Amino acid sequence: MSDIFSQIDSDLRKDKVLNFFKKYAVIIAVLLALIIMIFVGYFLIDNIKRNQYETSIIEYLNATSKTDPIEIIEGLNNIESSYETLISGYASINIAKTLIEQGKLIEAQEKLIEIFNNNNNDKLIIDISKYFYIMLKIDDITQKEIDDIVNDEAIKESSLKYLFMELKGIKALLEKNEDAAEKIFNEIFANVDSQSEIYIRAKKFIDIIN
């Protein structure tokens, strides 16, 4: 009988973790979109000054200002295939983001794999694509598969370090490895700004575990 109640408790905890993660997944995606916008803004200003990538910048702005997802993707595809600049990487990420918003998750995953396997892309672009891919696959990806995509050494050097750690902690919880999850969330809790969203989420995950 105790085994039955233990299983019920474990299932309820898993549901709680998934519901919490899904609740904040949109917020995380928005934050990443803001990161992209900041870097794009810097890139655009820098390149406008140089005046040599003006055409790609104008096309990028025109594509991302459209409301029809098909037109957005068409415009971004043109930029992605026509320019060997950092702007093409941002175009690729936005294509994946648009596919996600349309609910085309398989196509989005394929696009993200394509992005992070392209060594010509900027490191930040590669890290963002890996993060989105793991986030989309969090329910069925294994810890080993996560490690294959982004190992501990790569995480330490990434500007998305704590976001990657958070995903690994969530996966550990889903796999009922609470000790590993608690260790990860405690490390996040101890090292990030107490006013940040990831700090608040880490505290909530620790509360779920305990």
Side-chain angles (χ1 to χ4, degrees):
M1 181 68 71
S2 63
D3 288 341
I4 294 173
F5 285 115
S6 176
Q7 182 62 42
I8 291 172
D9 181 65
S10 178
D11 290 342
L12 287 173
R13 184 169 296 181
K14 179 178 179 181
D15 289 341
K16 194 173 183 180
V17 171
L18 280 173
N19 288 335
F20 180 75
F21 177 69
K22 288 173 182 176
K23 177 182 176 181
Y24 282 93
V26 173
I27 295 174
I28 294 168
V30 169
L31 289 174
L32 281 175
L34 287 174
I35 292 172
I36 294 171
M37 288 173 65
I38 290 168
F39 277 87
V40 168
Y42 173 80
F43 174 79
L44 296 183
I45 292 169
D46 183 61
N47 282 286
I48 285 173
K49 288 177 181 177
R50 295 181 189 183
N51 217 23
Q52 57 181 331
Y53 297 124
E54 189 173 336
T55 302
S56 65
I57 292 167
I58 292 171
E59 288 187 19
Y60 179 88
L61 292 174
N62 285 339
T64 54
S65 66
K66 295 182 185 300
T67 55
D68 184 346
I70 296 174
E71 291 182 358
I72 292 172
I73 292 175
E74 285 178 355
L76 292 172
N77 272 328
N78 290 334
I79 296 164
E80 184 185 40
S81 60
S82 300
Y83 299 98
E84 293 300 322
T85 68
L86 188 60
I87 199 76
S88 66
Y90 291 118
S92 298
I93 289 289
N94 271 285
I95 289 170
K97 177 175 165 288
T98 303
L99 289 169
I100 292 170
E101 291 169 351
Q102 288 184 284
K104 298 178 179 180
L105 301 186
I106 300 299
E107 290 179 48
Q109 289 168 22
E110 291 172 350
K111 186 65 186 176
L112 292 167
I113 292 171
E114 177 189 313
I115 296 168
F116 66 68
N117 281 333
N118 184 352
N119 293 326
N120 292 322
N121 279 325
D122 183 82
K123 188 176 185 304
L124 178 64
I125 295 294
I126 291 172
D127 282 351
I128 291 173
S129 63
K130 287 180 177 181
Y131 180 84
F132 274 126
Y133 179 79
I134 296 169
M135 187 168 70
L136 286 176
K137 299 272 290 179
I138 195 68
D139 233 351
D140 51 27
I141 197 172
T142 66
Q143 283 286 11
K144 183 181 183 307
E145 287 171 330
I146 294 175
D147 289 337
D148 288 340
I149 294 169
V150 56
N151 58 38
D152 289 342
E153 194 59 38
I155 288 175
K156 286 179 185 177
E157 297 174 358
S158 173
S159 55
L160 305 184
K161 173 181 176 179
Y162 294 110
L163 288 172
F164 279 128
M165 288 178 63
E166 181 182 48
L167 285 182
K168 293 191 75 169
I170 291 167
K171 189 59 194 179
L173 269 180
L174 295 177
E175 292 180 344
K176 303 175 185 177
N177 189 349
E178 294 181 354
D179 290 340
E182 187 170 14
K183 182 179 178 181
I184 291 170
F185 290 124
N186 278 328
E187 185 176 345
I188 295 172
F189 191 74
N191 288 286
V192 301
D193 183 350
S194 62
Q195 300 303 311
S196 66
E197 285 291 334
I198 195 167
Y199 177 95
I200 296 168
R201 292 197 302 273
K203 186 176 185 306
K204 288 186 179 293
F205 279 121
I206 291 169
D207 291 343
I208 290 172
I209 293 168
N210 295 322

